[in-house]
Amino acid sequence: MSDEQDLGAVREEIDGIDREIQTLINRRARCAQQVAEIKLGEQHAARERGEDPGEVVFYRPEREAQVLARIVERNEGPLPAENVAYIFRELMSACLALEQPLRVAYLGPEGTFTQAAALKHFGHGAVCVSQATIDGVFTQVESGACNYGVVPVENSTEGMVSHTLDSFLDSPLCIAGEVELRITHHLLVAPGTEPAAVTRICAHQQALAQCRNWLDAHWPQVEREAVSSNGEAARLAAGEGGVAAVAGDMAAEQYNLERIAEHIEDRRDNTTRFLVIGRQEVAPSGRDKTSIIVSSRNKPGALFALLDPFRRGGVSLTRIDTRPSRTEKWAYVFFIEFEGHLQDENVAAILRELEEQSILLKPLGSYPRAVL
Ligand SMILES: O=C(O)C(=O)C[C@]1(C(=O)O)C=C[C@@H](O)C=C1
């Protein structure tokens, strides 16, 4: 057989496989439609029994995390597990959109890493709605205008996003998930801009901080300006010849900018973690984390007393942050994050103990650990 015939034969095989995949995808989508009918049926039955039917929850983060974790585990290649999981991420997103198109508020404008995080977590079947502030994201979800929200919570180089933590103090919302995103910054300008013409470098203050050493070494003379987001910086760079923006790939594409320099972040493992916020609690997935806010009386050993139940219960803490309590001067609240689910008996026992010794205990929710 000639090379030409070989190529033809393999392409025919690909065409056949594509047909089969397409049939299977649509079979899967019909199953998702049946799941939606069952969920609506359950709500109808509750109403018939005179019970509060509540809001039908189509999106099930615990189930999605289990599906994705299984795909990663059983993948035999040659495609890398992460790439296969992304394909299934989009497949589930499209299936869910048949059940109910989700509206997801995120800290915008378009082109921010928070938008990239929202798409990574929910896939492109979700309708992502940009908000100018973190408060705006919380309000959209609290009012029911959006089903979920995505906000940044911590960066591996720059630490926590205190505004997000503070917002949980007054909000009735729960945490429904976490997203981790590798953050890569570039120095971006409008097409045709000469580097010598740049007089101002704009970015969100976190991005400026994450690239501080690089900017000090390469652009020491140029003024830096912190703006509300990297997306906003990119928008400014697109409109003004002398402005360069520090921003990522999405912003570069969104505003059609050129890269003067790529990968300028000081740390190669620069990662930002985002939280998904929603109105409903999430069922256990088997690999969960829980977040709580806790505050105790200001006395010696108070923090030790709050943490000791975790040690005795054999529960690993994954994070602890301190914030001023906004009700009393020099009093503090702790944001504690740990492995396990509020429905686990050992976790419930720890919370009962904390309740006895704290002046404030607010569970923020349990959610599946990030799979992708
Ligand atoms: O299993 C469900 O509850 C579904 O709705 C199906 C499905 C899926 O496509 O696998 C879709 C959306 C949910 O978020 C979880 C899973």
Side-chain angles (χ1 to χ4, degrees):
M1 261 211 293
S2 69
D3 283 354
E4 198 70 355
Q5 282 169 321
D6 278 350
L7 186 64
V10 179
R11 283 194 175 149
E12 220 169 277
E13 191 177 349
I14 288 180
D15 288 342
I17 294 169
D18 286 349
R19 257 195 307 276
E20 276 179 52
I21 293 175
Q22 192 172 354
T23 305
L24 289 173
I25 286 176
N26 279 313
R27 212 169 107 198
R28 189 187 193 288
R30 275 191 291 277
C31 287
Q33 287 176 316
Q34 284 170 17
V35 171
E37 282 162 23
I38 295 168
K39 288 175 188 168
L40 286 166
E42 282 169 0
Q43 186 197 41
H44 182 72
R47 198 177 286 123
E48 297 276 284
R49 289 193 301 271
E51 294 166 9
D52 174 10
E55 202 179 326
V56 183
V57 185
F58 293 98
Y59 171 61
R60 297 291 165 88
E62 75 288 0
R63 170 73 184 154
E64 296 204 353
Q66 286 164 347
V67 170
L68 293 177
R70 257 202 310 267
I71 282 158
V72 169
E73 262 164 42
R74 72 175 169 230
N75 190 59
E76 286 179 356
L79 284 177
E82 195 180 304
N83 294 15
V84 179
Y86 273 112
I87 295 170
F88 277 86
R89 161 66 289 150
E90 288 299 334
L91 183 51
M92 273 194 291
S93 179
C95 287
L96 177 62
L98 280 182
E99 295 186 41
Q100 174 205 37
L102 279 191
R103 284 175 63 80
V104 178
Y106 68 93
L107 181 62
E110 282 187 47
T112 54
F113 287 112
T114 315
Q115 184 186 18
L119 289 172
K120 181 178 177 188
H121 191 77
F122 288 99
H124 287 72
V127 178
C128 290
V129 183
S130 162
Q131 291 297 304
T133 60
I134 288 174
D135 291 339
V137 177
F138 274 80
T139 308
Q140 285 285 304
V141 184
E142 282 170 23
S143 70
C146 285
N147 306 88
Y148 293 90
V150 180
V151 285
V153 67
E154 64 175 299
N155 175 266
S156 59
T157 316
E158 273 308 292
M160 67 176 169
V161 181
S162 43
H163 198 95
T164 295
L165 295 185
D166 291 345
S167 302
F168 280 113
L169 277 169
D170 304 321
S171 172
L173 297 180
C174 321
I175 302 176
E178 63 170 359
V179 196
E180 282 180 9
L181 202 66
R182 272 289 313 280
I183 303 287
T184 324
H185 295 297
H186 314 301
L187 192 63
L188 305 169
V189 290
T193 307
E194 287 297 324
V198 172
T199 54
R200 200 153 49 106
I201 295 176
C202 294
H204 187 268
Q205 48 140 336
Q206 284 249 348
L208 288 176
Q210 289 162 22
C211 305
R212 187 181 298 125
N213 296 342
W214 188 89
L215 289 170
D216 286 349
H218 295 88
W219 295 79
Q221 324 293 15
V222 175
E223 182 198 342
R224 292 173 212 169
E225 189 188 336
V227 295
S228 59
S229 69
N230 295 339
E232 173 62 9
R235 195 185 64 77
L236 290 171
E240 293 177 41
V243 175
V246 174
D249 293 316
M250 271 193 70
E253 272 150 40
Q254 180 81 28
Y255 293 96
N256 187 30
L257 299 175
E258 271 176 11
R259 295 163 168 80
I260 309 187
E262 295 191 310
H263 302 289
I264 62 170
E265 61 282 359
D266 295 332
R267 290 182 55 115
R268 286 292 123 124
D269 59 354
N270 189 30
T271 303
T272 293
R273 193 167 154 255
F274 301 82
L275 292 178
V276 178
I277 51 175
R279 293 184 295 276
Q280 289 92 12
E281 287 171 12
V282 178
S285 74
R287 286 180 75 248
D288 301 289
K289 273 188 189 171
T290 298
S291 297
I292 60 170
I293 298 177
V294 62
S295 177
S296 67
R297 277 174 202 84
N298 207 351
K299 58 178 190 200
L303 178 58
F304 175 80
L306 287 182
L307 299 183
D308 199 42
F310 291 97
R311 183 188 61 83
R312 278 186 277 109
V315 168
S316 293
L317 300 186
T318 48
R319 192 170 174 82
I320 172 161
D321 286 303
T322 315
R323 296 289 302 149
S325 99
R326 293 186 289 183
T327 49
E328 213 182 310
K329 202 169 157 195
W330 307 127
Y332 294 90
V333 293
F334 300 101
F335 285 81
I336 302 180
E337 194 186 275
F338 50 90
E339 285 178 358
H341 194 283
L342 288 165
Q343 290 180 19
D344 296 344
E345 188 34 53
N346 60 340
V347 172
I350 291 171
L351 291 207
R352 279 195 296 273
E353 246 190 269
L354 291 184
E355 190 136 46
E356 280 167 23
Q357 49 171 304
S358 56
I359 43 179
L360 165 77
L361 175 66
K362 184 176 178 190
L364 298 179
S366 299
Y367 45 93
R369 271 153 56 183
V371 179
L372 291 177

